[in-house]
Amino acid sequence: MRFSAQVESKLERLLASCPPGRKRAALVPMLLFIQDEVGAVTPEVVEEVSRRLEVTPAEIEEVASYYSMLRRRPAGRYHIQICTNISCLLMGGAELFEHACRKLGIGNHGVSEDGLFSLEEVECIGACCWAPALQVNYDFHHAVTPEAFDRLIEQLRQSSAAERRE
Amino acid sequence: MLHPEPHPLEVAVLTRRFRLPNSASIQTYLAHDGYQAFRKALEMSPDGIIEEVKKSNLRGRGGAGFPTGLKWSFVPRQSPKPKYIVANADEGEPGTCKDRLLMQYDPHALIEGMLIAARAVGARAGYIYVRGEYRYLIEILDGAIEQARERGFLGRNILGSGMDFDLYTHSGAGSYECGEESALLESLEGKRGVPRLRPPFPATAGAFGCPTVLNNVETFCAVPPIVLRGGAAFAALGTPRNGGTRLFAISGHVRRPGVYELPMGFNLLRMINEVAGGVREGRKLKAVIPGGSSCPVLRAEECDLAMDFDSVARAGSMLGSGGVIVMDQTTCMVRVAARILRFYAQESCGFCVPCREGTAWLAKILARFHGGEGRAEDIGLIADIAHNILGRTFCPLGDAAAMPAAAFVEKFREEFEAHLGGKACPFEEVAAHV
Amino acid sequence: MSELVKLTIDGQVVEVEPGTLVIEAAKRAGIKIPSFCYYEGLSLAGACRMCLVEVEKAPKLQTACTLAAVPGMVVRTNTPRVAEARKAMVEFLLTNHPLDCPVCDKGGECELQDMAFTYGAAESRYREAKYHVPERQWSPVVYYDKPRCILCYRCVRVCEEGMGVGALGVINRGGRSEIAPNKADGLECDECGACIDICPVGALTSGTYRYHTRPWEMRHVGAICAHCADGCKTTLGVYHDQIIRGNNRDRSGLNGEFLCIKGRYAADFVHHAERLTSPLVRREGRLAPASWAEALGVIQARFEEVRRRGGRFGVIGSNHTTNEENYYLQKLARQGLGTNNIDHHRTGDVPALMAAIGGRPGAAARMEDLYQAAAVLVVGSDAAQQHPLISWQIRANWRHHQGRVFVVTRGPVREDRYAVRVVRAEPGGELEAVFGLREELAGERDLVVVFGDAIQGENVARLVGFGDSLGIPVKYVCLVDYSNSRGAADMGLLPDLKPGYQPAEEAGISLEEMLEPGAVDVLWVVGANPLKNARRAPDGAFVLVQEMFLTETAQAADVVLPAASAYEKSGTVTNVCGEVQGIEPAVSCAGAKTDLEIFGLLAYRLGLELGEAAPEAVWREIAASVPGYDLPRAEILAGAAPQVRPIAGARASRRGKAASAGDTLFTSGTLGRYCGILGAVAEAPGALYRG
C-alpha cells in the first residue's frame, strides 16, 4: 500500500525521528496520518503498518483500539466534533450538539447520507475560553452559536460543491 | 483568541511576545531576547542552570506542581544511555487551553526552554508530544523547529558549543490519560497510553528506558526568562515556594473569558471580578473549579483565595493546570458533576480496578441522578465510591475523578437532594442532556 | 553476599533477601496478602489493587506486590483501613461481573468467589446496567467471556512471558477493555490452556471441560503425562470414571504450573470409541473378537512351537510402557524365551550418552538444571514443539536469571528470541557448529547441553569430549520423544544392552532387522507401531500385538491383546532427564489389561518363573539389580522424582539407530492420532521447525 507523496514524506520524517531500533515509536502518529488520507484504520492499513514497523497486526489492534481519534470506519468529509465537556457545557455546548444532530439529521458517530458530514460528541478539545467550540476535521471554530453552526454547514456544503465543480 | 490588549493586572513574562506581529517567527523571537537565555546557559555549568531553576521556585505547570529544578536534578549526571527532553503538550485537562496559546504565539520559547533543559542534563534529543487534536500547532512547531535548525540552534555543534540537540514533534491520537507523564511516554513509544509502574521514574528511566526530563509546555517556556533574569527575580513575582507567574485560563460564566498571565498568589475573586470582567449578565457567582476539572469545586464563599499551589491545597482543592471554571447561579451542579464523571469514565485507561470500575459506576449513578431517578442512598454511595477510589489507583486519574465527585456531593448536597423523588432538574432552562 | 533485609509485618519481624517484594516477605511470615494480578514468576502489574497494605510513613496504601522490602519497613496488613480497601476492590470487581456462578465452570475453585467470602462485598450496592458483550470462542480449546473478566492480565503475561507465544493482548480502554486474541478470527497459538488455568475466574474456559461437572464432584488423581518425555505431572479430574480434564494448578511436579495441550487436554484417547476392549484372534484371514483364554491359548501354542524348533523371537517394546513393564518384558524375552532380539523405536541415542558420561556424578542434567544453569545450549531440537517443558524452563531461566541461551538448529526455533547466539546448521553439521562456539561456551559459569537425534553414535562421545575440554561444569540431556522412552533404554529394551546399559553376552538383532523378511518367526509388538508404513508382517511370522487401538501393526497381527493406557495402571516412568516418577490408575480400563498383567499371564502359560508380575514386586527387583535404579521408593511415591544414579560401565549400543519422530505440539506419534483435541487444533501439518 502506498500513500500520497505528501503523506509518505510525513511518514519518512516520522520514522527518522525515532531512535535507532525503535520504529514502533512511530505507530500512533503513523496510524493517524494514514487515517487522514485513507479515512479509517482499515485491515489493509493495519497490514501495511505492520509491515513497515515490524509490529504484529495484533499489537496494532491493541494500540488502534485505545485512541479515540482512530476509527475503523470512515467519517464524513467534514467530521464535526462538538465538545460538551464542562467549559463548553456551561456555554451551551450540549444544546449546540443537539442542534447539530437535528440540523444534520444524524446522531453521535453518525454519517450523513451524502457522506459529507459526520458528527461526534467529544471531550475537551482545549478551547475552553472560546466556548462553545467545535472542530471540523482539525480546524477549530470558537464561540459557535446555533446560527453560526448553520452558517458553517452552509459554507462547508458550498465549498464542497465548488470543489466538485472544479 | 487573544483580547486586543493584555489586562492591566497581567504580568507579561511568558506572554510578553504574544501580540507582536509574526510573534511565532524566529525573526521576531530573536529581536526580543530570543535564544539569549540559551546562549547564557551555554556559558553556565549544568549544575548552575539547575540551581537557577531551583531558585526560581518554578513548579510544574501541567497540574502536579512538582518543583522543576528538583525534578531536573534527579536525572543522573552520568549515564551510558542517551537522555531525552520531552514536552507534555497533551493539554487534556478540561478547562485548560493555555499551552495552546504558548505554542501558537511563542513556539520558540518552548524550543529554547527545552534546549536549556538539554544543556542542564546532557540530553541530545527531545520530543514535543502534542495531542492529536492540536494538529495546526504541530505544523507551527515544525515550522519553528525548522527555522531554529536553519539558524543553527538545533542539530550538531550548536553555536559552536559542541552541544548536539535534535527536536521532533510527536502526535497523540485522542487520550486524556496520555497527559499523565508515564502514559505519555508509553504513547511516545508506540503503545497504549497505560501508565507505568513507578519507581523507576522518568528521570532515571523515561523515554525508551532512558533518563528523561518531562515537563509541561508552560514549565519549559518559563525557563528562558528564569535563566536570563535569574531565578530569584522569577521567584519574587510569586509567593514563597510558589515562584513566578502562570497562565490562567478563565472560562465559563464570565464576561471576558480568556487566558491571562498573573502572578502566583493572585486572588481568585479578583481574577474573576476584575481580570475576567465579573460574572456574566450580572449574575451571582455560585461555584468555581480552580485548576481544571480534577480539582474539587469551591463554593462562592470559598473563593477569596490566593491562587498558588500551597494556598489552594490548604483550602482543600488544587491549583492544578490553572483552568479556572466559573459557574453562576443558573448552573445545575448535579449536571456538572455528571458530565465531569462521564469524562473520566470515558478517559480511564482501564488498567486498574478501582478507576476502571469506579469511574464508570460514578458516571452511571450521576447520569441516573440528574435524569431524576436518584435515590437518597445514592448521595452517600457516591461519596463512598469516591472514598474507595481515592489513593488506591495505579495513577492519579482515579483521584482526579474521585475528588470532584466527593466535593460535589459534599458542597452541593442540597442540590442533589433537590433532584430526588423523580423531580425534574430544577435548572430547567438548561437542557437535561448530560 | 548482601545482607538480609529486616522488616516488620503485622508485628512479626521477617528477614529477606534485598529486593524481595513485601507480598513474598509476608508469605514467609505465614501472612497471606490477597492478589489477582500478582503471580509468581510473571512480570509485575499492580492492576488489581487487592494487595494494598499500610506502610508506615507512607500516606497512601501501597501495593505489596510492587513494593520491595527495605530495612526497617513496618507493614500492616490487618488494619481496618486495609480491610476496607480489600472489600472495596472486591465490590468494584463485582459491579460489572455477572452473577454466573450457577453456570460458570469456575464455581467452587474461583478466586473471586473466595475473595468475596473472605473480604466481604458479597452483597452488591450496584444498581446500574452492567456492561455486557457476548462470549467468544477463540479456538477449539479457548473460550473468553468478557463480562466475567477482571482484567488481571495473568493470561496475557503467562502467554507472552511464560510460554513465549504472546497470543493475547488488551484492546479498547476503560470499562470496555477486553482481552483479545492475536488473529481476527481467534487464536493462533500453542493451545496449551495456560491462560485458562491461570485465570482466577471463569472468563477463560476450556472447550473440553466446560459445563461437564463441578470441581468437587471429580476425583483428582496425579498422573504423569502420557505423551512426551518431559515428564510433566498432570492432575487428572475424573468424573464417573471419565477423565474430564487435566491441569497442574497446585504447581506440583517438575513442571510447576506448566503444561502443554497434551498434558491438559489430550487424555481423550483414553475414552476413544475405538479403544480395544477385547482380544482379537485372526481366523480365516480376519481378526475377530475372542476371549482371553482363547487368545492366550493361541499365543501359548505358537510360542511353545517356535521354542521347540529353535525358531527366532523378535520383541519390540514400547516408548510408553512403565519401567516395570519394560524390565519384565526383557526378562521374559531373555530368560524366558532365550533371545536378545529386543528393541524399541529409539528416538535418541541415550546409551551413547550413558557410555560417554559413565559413572560420573552430576553429568546428567535434571529438569531443574535447565532453569538454574548459567548457560544452555540447544542442539538440533525445536524444544517449543517437542519438549515444551524444557522450552519453558529455558525461557524462565532467561527471564528470571538472564540465562544465556545458545542455539544450533537447522531452522528458526522459539529459543532464537532469547539466544545470545544462534547458529543455523545443515543436518550433519550440528557438531561442527557446536565446536565453533568453544570460546564463548568456555566463558560460561556452567552449561547444560540439550541434544536431539542429530547427535548420535560416536558423535555423542565427541560432544561430551568437547564439553570436557571447556573446563567448566557441563551437564547433558539426550532428548528422546515419549513418556518412557528413557525408561525403555534404561530397562534394556535393546538388542545388545541389558538393563543399566550393561553389555548383553550375545547381541540380538535390531528393530529394523526384525522387520526383514524371514528374520523372525514370532514378532511380538508391545505398544508400538513399527508396521505403520509397511502394513505387512514379515512373511510367515506370527505377530502378537499388545495395543490400545487397531493400529496398522495391530491390523497385521495374528493376535491382538487390548492394553491399558498410562492413566490406567501403576508403575514408574523415567523422563528425558532420568527423573523417575510414579503413576497410579486414574480410571479403569474396561476389557483391557495392563501390559504387565499380560506379560504375567503369558509367563504363567509358558511355565516361566519370572517373579510376580505386579508393579511393587518388579520395582523391588529393579531397585536391587538395575544399575542406577537403587532409588528410594518412598521418594518416588512422594513425587520427589529422584534421578537415575550415575551408571559405571555403561556401554553404547552398536546395533540400530535412533530417529526422533519429529512430533509437534499437535502430534504425538500413534497415540496422538486418537486424541480428538489434537486433531481439532492442528492448523498445519506438523513441521519440525516453526518460526
Side-chain angles (χ1 to χ4, degrees), chain B residues 253-274:
Chain B
H253 297 156
V254 288
R255 284 202 185 87
R256 286 180 15 123
V259 176
Y260 302 97
E261 184 174 6
L262 297 163
M264 290 285 274
F266 197 92
N267 182 277
L268 177 57
L269 278 180
R270 286 191 73 197
M271 219 186 266
I272 295 168
N273 294 323
E274 295 181 43

Side-chain angles (χ1 to χ4, degrees), chain A residues 17 22 24-25 36 62 66-69 84-85 87 90 95 98 121 123-124 126 128 130 135 138 140 142, chain B residues 1 95 97 100 127 131 133 135 170 173-174 187-188 190-193 208 251 253 339 342-343 431 433:
Chain A
S17 78
R22 294 288 200 147
R24 182 171 175 156
D36 289 341
E62 285 190 279
Y66 178 88
Y67 294 92
S68 58
M69 289 175 76
T84 61
N85 204 318
S87 298
L90 292 170
E95 292 72 24
E98 275 167 9
E121 188 182 357
E123 300 299 338
C124 180
C128 321
W130 312 286
Q135 279 189 291
Y138 291 103
F140 279 89
H142 298 138
Chain B
M1 292 157 67
C97 51
R100 191 175 157 192
Y127 295 92
R131 62 179 297 183
E133 297 86 342
R135 174 64 62 84
H170 190 100
S187 185
L188 182 71
K191 296 179 255 175
R192 295 162 59 86
F208 311 106
S251 67
H253 297 156
R339 186 58 185 83
R342 184 177 137 192
F343 167 69
H433 177 103

Side-chain angles (χ1 to χ4, degrees), chain C residues 175-242:
Chain C
R176 283 167 171 53
S177 301
E178 291 184 33
I179 306 297
N182 57 345
K183 297 291 167 192
D185 56 354
L187 279 170
E188 198 175 275
C189 65
D190 287 357
E191 308 280 355
C192 64
C195 55
I196 295 170
D197 277 358
I198 210 172
C199 179
V201 297
L204 287 166
T205 53
S206 87
T208 60
Y209 169 66
R210 64 204 321 251
Y211 301 136
H212 267 74
T213 181
R214 288 298 188 191
W216 61 85
E217 292 180 322
M218 287 185 283
R219 195 167 55 90
H220 287 99
V221 183
I224 302 302
C225 178
H227 292 277
C228 88
D230 288 354
C232 295
K233 172 155 176 232
T234 175
T235 303
L236 302 175
V238 179
Y239 178 63
H240 289 175
D241 211 28
Q242 293 259 309

Side-chain angles (χ1 to χ4, degrees), chain A residues 8-125:
Chain A
E8 288 293 351
S9 144
K10 241 174 146 177
L11 298 180
E12 209 180 296
R13 269 176 290 134
L14 176 60
L15 273 167
S17 78
C18 304
R22 294 288 200 147
K23 281 199 293 186
R24 182 171 175 156
L27 180 56
V28 173
M30 181 176 275
L31 288 171
L32 190 62
F33 296 160
I34 293 174
Q35 177 182 276
D36 289 341
E37 181 155 285
V38 172
V41 177
T42 61
E44 226 192 343
V45 168
V46 171
E47 217 183 283
E48 178 61 25
V49 173
S50 167
R51 216 181 42 79
R52 292 191 190 204
L53 298 184
E54 292 172 88
V55 174
T56 67
E59 288 168 306
I60 295 177
E61 295 293 341
E62 285 190 279
V63 170
S65 63
Y66 178 88
Y67 294 92
S68 58
M69 289 175 76
L70 296 176
R71 50 182 178 256
R72 318 321 296 262
R73 283 188 305 263
R77 173 143 178 211
Y78 301 112
H79 183 52
I80 301 171
Q81 303 138 82
I82 299 181
C83 174
T84 61
N85 204 318
I86 178 66
S87 298
C88 289
L89 186 81
L90 292 170
M91 300 303 285
E95 292 72 24
L96 176 64
F97 180 74
E98 275 167 9
H99 172 85
C101 291
R102 283 193 299 271
K103 173 81 182 169
L104 297 173
I106 53 181
N108 193 16
H109 300 296
V111 183
S112 64
E113 259 187 59
D114 56 10
L116 209 52
F117 299 107
S118 53
L119 193 56
E120 190 182 347
E121 188 182 357
V122 295
E123 300 299 338
C124 180
I125 51 177

